[in-house]
Amino acid sequence: MRIVLLGAPGSGKGTQAKMMAEAYRVPQISTGDILRKAVADKTEVGKKVAAMMDAGELVSDRIVIDAVTDQLRSPDSRRGFVLDGFPRTIPQAQELDTRLGWMGRPVQLVLHFLVDNKVLIKRVVNRMSCANCGAIYNKQSSPPKKKGVCDQCGSKKLVSRTDDSEKTMRSRLEAYDRDTAPLISYYRAQHKLRSIPASSSMAHIFDAICDVVDTEIRPMEKKIVVIEEPVKIKIKKADPEEADQATTKKKAAKKTTSKKVTKKAAKKAPVKKAAKKTTAKKVTKKASKRK
Ligand code: AMP
């Protein structure tokens, strides 16, 4: 599956991308995570983007496009990917379409997370994440079980992002409205946009996402092969004396034979039904795996 998550900062893209990556076994490709790592590792790219990120501004298209392309080409992405935080501008989306087009693997769906701005700010200022494994918490709505300790990996490094202050958040929301919101029309025009109400609980939002993915992408990924045996028709050799009669009868029989063939084909139907049953079982198994 090849999915883009589109939504304002704090709309829950990161949290849902992690859940999707685990459930559908595809990588989460987050440009924010890639850039934060570059900053922490003090790489050339990290040094270039640090100030822009701290100010809540978008970094240059070239930098993020190159970072994403590397990941899309990696063997991990063979089964698909969830793009989180990319594309964020029209040129990024166009470049993504071009590069995925070359690979013959276009984006299938764009999930647009709908959340009220007031909720976004509240979520972001209370957000914490684990510096060790990336698990995301909210001081109010979903704190870790033990204060200051990550539920996932036990690390005590729960930190707030430097750009998660209320002031920077306002700049990030402005950047979203100015540069990213036009992508809504861009993907709507491609008939790929699906809205996900994203103000409720993590579990509810995830259910809504799975409904869309399971009905719109997964059925297309299942290959149903129905093996039908060729229908054999035995033709009796005609007696020379009866040849004339036979010719006349054959003509008359032609209509009947075609009816018989249809009947025989209908008898083969159980093969199809059996195949359908097996497929249905597989789907049920897959769905329960996800759960
Ligand atoms: P995020 O973690 O997705 O909220 O991203 C954090 C910051 O990284 C953003 O505020 C931008 O400064 C930068 N960033 C992440 N993704 C992109 C992108 N696709 N284009 C430009 N800047 C980005």
Side-chain angles (χ1 to χ4, degrees), residues 233-245:
I233 305 163
K234 276 188 184 173
I235 300 168
K236 214 179 148 190
K237 257 195 175 178
D239 186 318
E241 281 178 23
E242 293 169 3
D244 281 348
Q245 283 177 358

Side-chain angles (χ1 to χ4, degrees), residues 7-10 13-14 30-36 49-61 63-65 68 84-89 92 127 161 163-164 168 171-172 175 180:
K13 301 186 300 295
S30 155
T31 38
D33 286 350
I34 297 171
L35 296 172
R36 275 185 288 280
V49 301
M52 297 296 276
M53 291 177 74
D54 273 345
E57 290 296 329
L58 295 187
V59 312
S60 91
D61 288 340
I63 289 177
V64 280
I65 288 167
V68 166
D84 157 20
F86 181 91
R88 251 170 153 115
T89 64
Q92 287 178 22
R127 180 157 65 179
R161 276 168 47 174
D163 59 348
D164 271 353
T168 312
S171 308
R172 290 163 68 196
T180 311

